[in-house]
Amino acid sequence: MRKYFLIGCLLLCSMGSSYLYAEVEIGSRALDFSLPKVGSSKESITMGSYKQESILLNFWASWCKGCKKEMPFLHKLAKDNEKKLSVIAVNIDNKETKAQNYIDKFTSKMGETSKIKFVYDKEKSLPKAYKFEAVPCSLLIKNGTIIKYYVGSFDDESEQVVLKDIKEALK
Amino acid sequence: MNKTITQALLLMSVFLLSACTHVAPFEKEALASQKMLSSPMPERGAFEGHVFQIREGTFGAESGFQGGCGCK
């Protein structure tokens, strides 16, 4: 009896321990989601509606310097490949207003409305499901399958890699 | 039975006392806050960080470096 009680306590402790990271499996199916657009709780974006397209699914936050650094690159990607590639940026801020403020600033800085589809994940359901280690990170999805996983902010070198990967994916 | 409960509670507290834990990316908002900087003046931060590392003998335990949980 005592033994089982101690084992139970140990199990309880381990259950409550923490968030454990996991590597995103390349070749696995991308998770379905339906998330509201930032600043518009009535409009939402569903993964299902992009099943036949290529998607760059980016995860970002307004407090994350690396995320903001790569935003102009994502903006250019979305603009240059508007008809072939959907760039969906999932925000994981605690408050949606922070994301909205950043998007407003970004839009005025770029001088045009971005083609990036900004969505807000209030429950952090996607990062929890994918068990990401850090933001920014991005998934390149083709026909509902994850074909590439990028961790960290894109720099000159990794931008070239992403462009090459996207070119391959859009063939 | 009381002894068992005490032992179990002690065991649980030992587990809960672990210093390092994984922080989910969406939980890092608080850590990225300005309030978490060691210096209120960003211009002075790099210098203070340098002094802190020398004084404390730590490396990699700050936001400026990788391995932020300070386990190194």
Side-chain angles (χ1 to χ4, degrees):
Chain A
M1 179 65 189
R2 188 181 150 198
K3 191 176 151 190
Y4 291 120
F5 182 65
L6 286 172
I7 290 171
C9 289
L10 273 174
L11 279 173
L12 266 176
C13 284
S14 61
M15 276 167 71
S17 64
S18 62
Y19 175 93
L20 293 173
Y21 311 139
E23 272 297 309
V24 172
E25 212 174 302
I26 304 298
S28 63
R29 298 294 296 170
L31 299 169
D32 239 337
F33 66 82
S34 179
L35 295 170
K37 283 185 178 179
V38 174
S40 165
S41 53
K42 286 175 190 170
E43 278 182 276
S44 62
I45 286 183
T46 312
M47 175 72 183
S49 47
Y50 295 95
K51 267 187 180 157
Q52 302 306 316
E53 288 177 39
S54 293
I55 305 169
L56 187 75
L57 190 65
N58 173 263
F59 291 84
W60 72 286
S62 68
W63 47 264
C64 159
K65 284 183 187 171
C67 307
K68 291 192 272 190
K69 191 183 152 213
E70 70 178 14
M71 211 49 91
F73 172 65
L74 296 179
H75 172 78
K76 193 173 181 299
L77 260 185
K79 192 180 168 186
D80 294 349
N81 303 284
E82 196 187 343
K83 289 177 184 166
K84 299 172 191 169
L85 177 83
S86 296
V87 180
I88 302 174
V90 182
N91 179 271
I92 58 163
D93 269 283
N94 284 339
K95 286 181 183 167
E96 193 178 355
T97 47
K98 288 183 182 177
Q100 186 62 63
N101 289 344
Y102 174 73
I103 295 166
D104 292 344
K105 275 185 199 167
F106 180 71
T107 307
S108 67
K109 189 182 158 192
M110 301 313 285
E112 59 185 346
T113 309
S114 183
K115 302 286 179 198
I116 303 171
K117 295 168 180 74
F118 290 102
V119 292
Y120 181 59
D121 190 355
K122 190 182 179 187
E123 304 301 327
K124 328 290 183 223
S125 55
L126 281 179
K128 277 179 189 168
Y130 280 116
K131 299 191 187 306
F132 291 135
E133 187 175 350
V135 282
C137 63
S138 304
L139 299 171
L140 183 60
I141 300 165
K142 188 182 181 182
N143 300 331
T145 305
I146 300 167
I147 57 169
K148 293 282 173 187
Y149 172 46
Y150 311 99
V151 190
S153 184
F154 295 130
D155 55 15
D156 291 344
E157 202 178 311
S158 54
E159 278 177 19
Q160 295 309 313
V161 174
V162 177
L163 288 171
K164 196 180 155 201
D165 291 342
I166 289 173
K167 203 175 166 186
E168 290 271 315
L170 297 179
K171 268 182 187 173
Chain B
M1 190 62 186
N2 276 344
K3 197 180 166 190
T4 314
I5 291 170
T6 317
Q7 280 177 339
L9 286 174
L10 273 172
L11 203 61
M12 281 172 93
S13 29
V14 167
F15 273 90
L16 293 170
L17 281 173
S18 60
C20 295
T21 184
H22 284 188
V23 181
F26 46 84
E27 290 169 339
K28 290 179 184 169
E29 185 165 349
L31 299 175
S33 160
Q34 286 285 320
K35 290 173 196 164
M36 297 299 278
L37 290 174
S38 58
S39 168
M41 295 164 72
E43 302 82 19
R44 222 172 58 185
F47 172 71
E48 285 188 353
H50 179 68
V51 171
F52 174 77
Q53 279 170 18
I54 294 167
R55 193 182 62 204
E56 300 293 328
T58 55
F59 187 78
E62 275 195 293
S63 59
F65 293 84
Q66 294 190 359
C69 81
C71 312
K72 211 168 181 179

